[in-house]
Amino acid sequence: MAPVFPVVTAGVAAGLGLLAALLTVQVIRNRVRFRVDVSDGGNAPLAQAIRAHANLAEHAPIALLLLALAEAGGAQRLLIVGLGGGFVIARLASAWALSRSLAQSPPRQAGAGLTVLVTVLAALLILYRLAVPA
């Protein structure tokens, strides 16, 4: 079997890479603005920027790995597109909400819920492929 390059997942990863860069810039800007080198210095905007960036860093690796494995394992392209798109929307909602406030909000909750849903569905696609080989 020839290796399969997970094209859809690569596109999702590229989009998330750009989001990660944007969130990193937000952290840097706030660190310079508040003259804080370590932690958040008690500044809410810096704490929010750090949390938004960290939240993406916590969730993106496992979701991308699962999507890539499901795609390379032969999952239908439309499923991978839907899951990848859903994950990007989830992470955008979460980043936007966390950049505004650390309090609970509908976009933050929706982002968290959709992130978990995508992760579970991608994992189930892989398990299905393992149980029912093509």
Side-chain angles (χ1 to χ4, degrees):
M1 175 193 255
V4 177
F5 182 74
V7 176
V8 175
T9 304
V12 172
L16 292 174
L18 294 174
L19 177 58
L22 175 68
L23 294 174
T24 299
V25 168
Q26 290 293 81
V27 172
I28 293 167
R29 285 180 52 225
N30 279 291
R31 286 197 182 287
V32 169
R33 177 179 167 201
F34 295 112
R35 297 181 181 166
V36 175
D37 293 327
V38 178
S39 189
D40 62 24
N43 296 288
L46 178 54
Q48 290 162 212
I50 290 169
R51 192 65 228 133
H53 179 266
N55 195 269
L56 177 65
E58 291 163 1
H59 293 284
I62 188 67
L64 287 171
L65 178 61
L66 291 169
L67 284 173
L69 289 171
E71 184 175 2
Q76 290 182 357
R77 184 180 180 98
L78 187 58
L79 282 173
I80 301 302
V81 168
L83 291 173
F87 189 74
V88 169
I89 290 168
R91 296 295 82 217
L92 286 170
S94 183
W96 180 78
L98 285 167
S99 294
R100 296 177 54 109
S101 170
L102 293 177
Q104 291 295 323
S105 67
R108 185 174 176 193
Q109 293 168 332
L114 189 52
T115 293
V116 171
L117 180 63
V118 167
T119 302
V120 168
L121 290 176
L124 290 174
L125 278 174
I126 294 166
L127 291 173
Y128 175 79
R129 178 62 185 224
L130 292 173
V132 184

